[in-house]
Amino acid sequence: MVETGKPSLATRLAYGIGGAAGGIKNNGFEYVLLLFYSQIMGLSAVLVAAALWIALLIDAFSDPVVGYWSDNMRTKWGRRHPLMYIAMLPVAIAYFFVWNPPTELSGLNLFAWLLGFTVIVRLMYTFFEVPSTALAAELTQDYDERTSLMSFRYFFAWVGGLTVQIILFFFLLKSSEGDPSGFFHIPGWNTYGLIGASCIFASIAITSLGTHRHIPHLKAPPAARKLTPVKILGEIWETVSNPSFRALFIATLFGLLASGISATLNQYINGFFWEFTNDQIGGLTVAVYVSAILALVIAPPVGKAFGKKKAAIIIGFLAFTIAPMPVILRQFGLLPPNGSDALYYIVITVTIFDLALIIAYQMLAASMVADIVEQNELATGRRSEGIYFAGISFMRKLAQGMGVLTASGVLAVASITPGMRAAQASEESIRILGWGYALSLLTLWTIMMVCISFYRISREDHEANLEALRSGATTQPRFEKS
């Protein structure tokens, strides 16, 4: 049976460490892949964005398939774990090859290499991501403990991604005359791929093996029944028609569209807009460790005190207002000049506290998905954790793909071309880059906060749904009116 109380520390750690695999993959693909293939390997930014978009599109449509499969799979290892084990080796091998293209490749051949291996990485990672995140709703039914589980997951996602990125900037990219950032040191990128692939493999293995002992106590799949493609699509549609899920689904679209833009342009903002050195960029990355720790401390108690929906709105409003503020202030000449210590201290301080709030928001929003499961079970008689987390994953991939494409458009409008160094960019290009970054984030995050306000499940609703399921009730779930 599903635990109703507090999962052990070992369970929370095992579940949480799985987030590192996604953090490493996402940091690589969203923060530095465009930089590596466009600025260093010389592939057109439009082709890089196209490869990432096509891979995301193919992968996104696999999410509901994997989600439905993991909800209904019948094996001696349960519904989730067989798919998680399948993912381990292929995703690690493919990730390694993404960062180790043959040096003789260029143009469309390099594009084909990038597209092929990013498709494999994303498809195989889905086999781990969807079933493993669905475990959050199965490992505990407790309203607050689900926030704790998701907090561990997002903590390790950020720490894992940051650690490998720190290794890249501090130890792998060697500066040289004419290349003070070290960005053009290709062997460093190759080693980055090896380290990332190894850590992804270890992360998936720890979560899969560490939660294996819970298999006998997890929810069983629904009773065997005759399924047709029409019936399967009908069950998926019935599941995703939940109003609270729709609110989170649409909020995810706009929130992660903004995140895709932010992640892709982040290195350009640091390198071109602020003109930070490689050491300073590495320092910003190290500082985010503090953000992840603060978020792990903030999210559970704030969610417990205010409820997840109100806490997410409060924290989200603060976080997403602060994020683009330094860039906007610079546009009006209200910050110290580039190259000054004062500017760096301002940016790093804002980054620490703002990212802590952003991560805390992500933790709460993810926990809100788990609470829809019992409401759906009460309405349909089926446990559909996989479908719900697959739906969010589906939207995440589409949104981030559009974010990368939009970010590439900002770079094109700003006339920042492949191979360009920060010193070669004009003042007008830097100004356009800053406004494109700041206004895109403010607009999209505002829409996201409006969408999430339509989520309907409070603590009282969740407890009422659990009580109704325990009593065998068949009435419709209780919805919050406000």
Side-chain angles (χ1 to χ4, degrees), residues 312-332:
I313 291 174
I314 293 169
I315 289 176
F317 176 79
L318 291 174
F320 303 139
T321 301
I322 295 171
M325 199 54 61
V327 172
I328 293 174
L329 291 175
R330 159 49 55 83
Q331 300 285 48
F332 290 101

Side-chain angles (χ1 to χ4, degrees), residues 56-57 59-71 80 126 129-134 154 235-237 239-242 244-254 256 365-366 368-370 372-373 384-400 402:
L56 278 168
L57 190 63
D59 179 28
F61 285 98
S62 73
D63 286 320
V65 175
V66 174
Y68 189 86
W69 191 8
S70 74
D71 283 338
R80 316 293 182 191
T126 296
E129 179 187 31
V130 170
S132 66
T133 51
Y154 276 80
E235 288 188 358
I236 292 175
W237 178 255
T239 298
V240 300
S241 294
N242 182 285
S244 289
F245 178 74
R246 288 199 304 267
L248 288 177
F249 189 76
I250 298 173
T252 299
L253 166 63
F254 290 101
L256 288 168
M368 290 162 73
V369 179
I372 304 173
V373 171
S384 300
E385 298 94 333
I387 289 292
Y388 281 128
F389 283 97
I392 295 299
S393 178
F394 171 88
M395 187 53 69
R396 177 184 298 118
K397 291 165 183 175
L398 288 184
Q400 290 174 341
M402 289 186 286

Side-chain angles (χ1 to χ4, degrees), residues 375-390:
Q375 192 179 81
N376 176 72
E377 184 180 7
L378 192 59
T380 68
R382 296 188 307 274
R383 298 279 299 190
S384 300
E385 298 94 333
I387 289 292
Y388 281 128
F389 283 97

Side-chain angles (χ1 to χ4, degrees), residues 25-345:
K25 176 187 71 70
N26 291 339
N27 265 42
F29 280 15
E30 297 167 18
Y31 283 80
V32 292
L33 191 67
L34 178 62
L35 178 70
F36 174 63
Y37 271 88
S38 178
Q39 302 301 120
I40 288 84
M41 299 303 297
L43 188 62
S44 164
V46 173
L47 285 179
V48 177
L52 294 177
W53 171 251
I54 293 169
L56 278 168
L57 190 63
I58 294 171
D59 179 28
F61 285 98
S62 73
D63 286 320
V65 175
V66 174
Y68 189 86
W69 191 8
S70 74
D71 283 338
N72 292 276
M73 179 176 285
R74 294 173 172 276
T75 75
K76 65 179 181 179
W77 285 354
R79 301 188 290 171
R80 316 293 182 191
H81 285 75
L83 297 175
M84 294 159 61
Y85 287 125
I86 287 172
M88 280 193 292
L89 192 58
V91 70
I93 292 173
Y95 191 81
F96 168 81
F97 282 116
V98 166
W99 301 98
N100 285 267
T103 54
E104 66 271 14
L105 290 185
S106 62
L108 291 179
N109 290 329
L110 185 59
F111 169 79
W113 178 279
L114 173 62
L115 175 61
F117 282 108
T118 51
V119 167
I120 295 171
V121 169
R122 290 194 176 280
L123 282 176
M124 295 313 303
Y125 183 71
T126 296
F127 277 72
F128 170 71
E129 179 187 31
V130 170
S132 66
T133 51
L135 284 175
E138 296 192 76
L139 291 172
T140 180
Q141 291 181 333
D142 186 86
Y143 182 82
D144 296 312
E145 289 306 319
R146 284 177 171 174
T147 302
S148 178
L149 271 178
M150 282 302 183
S151 296
F152 273 80
R153 185 84 173 193
Y154 276 80
F155 171 79
F156 281 103
W158 279 85
V159 167
L162 288 170
T163 298
V164 177
Q165 194 170 348
I166 285 169
I167 292 172
L168 172 68
F169 286 120
F170 272 114
F171 302 106
L172 301 181
L173 298 182
K174 306 296 184 181
S175 61
S176 62
E177 185 176 352
D179 181 26
S181 67
F183 284 166
F184 288 81
H185 183 66
I186 293 179
W189 292 98
N190 299 153
T191 305
Y192 168 74
L194 175 62
I195 294 172
S198 301
C199 292
I200 287 172
F201 179 86
S203 172
I204 293 175
I206 289 171
T207 290
S208 302
L209 294 170
T211 57
H212 191 99
R213 64 188 177 88
H214 291 282
I215 291 174
H217 309 294
L218 301 177
K219 285 283 187 176
R225 60 208 190 278
K226 185 177 181 180
L227 294 173
T228 65
V230 173
K231 185 173 180 60
I232 290 172
L233 288 173
E235 288 188 358
I236 292 175
W237 178 255
E238 183 182 32
T239 298
V240 300
S241 294
N242 182 285
S244 289
F245 178 74
R246 288 199 304 267
L248 288 177
F249 189 76
I250 298 173
T252 299
L253 166 63
F254 290 101
L256 288 168
L257 176 56
S259 295
I261 294 171
S262 176
T264 303
L265 293 182
N266 183 62
Q267 296 304 325
Y268 291 91
I269 291 294
N270 287 335
F272 283 73
F273 192 85
W274 298 124
E275 297 181 285
F276 289 148
T277 65
N278 190 49
D279 287 343
Q280 287 176 318
I281 293 172
L284 283 170
T285 306
V286 172
V288 179
Y289 277 117
V290 181
S291 301
I293 294 170
L294 287 174
L296 187 62
V297 173
I298 291 170
V302 174
K304 188 172 184 177
F306 294 98
K308 297 174 190 178
K309 172 183 171 179
K310 291 180 180 178
I313 291 174
I314 293 169
I315 289 176
F317 176 79
L318 291 174
F320 303 139
T321 301
I322 295 171
M325 199 54 61
V327 172
I328 293 174
L329 291 175
R330 159 49 55 83
Q331 300 285 48
F332 290 101
L334 299 177
L335 286 181
N338 285 5
S340 64
D341 290 340
L343 174 68
Y344 183 67
Y345 294 143

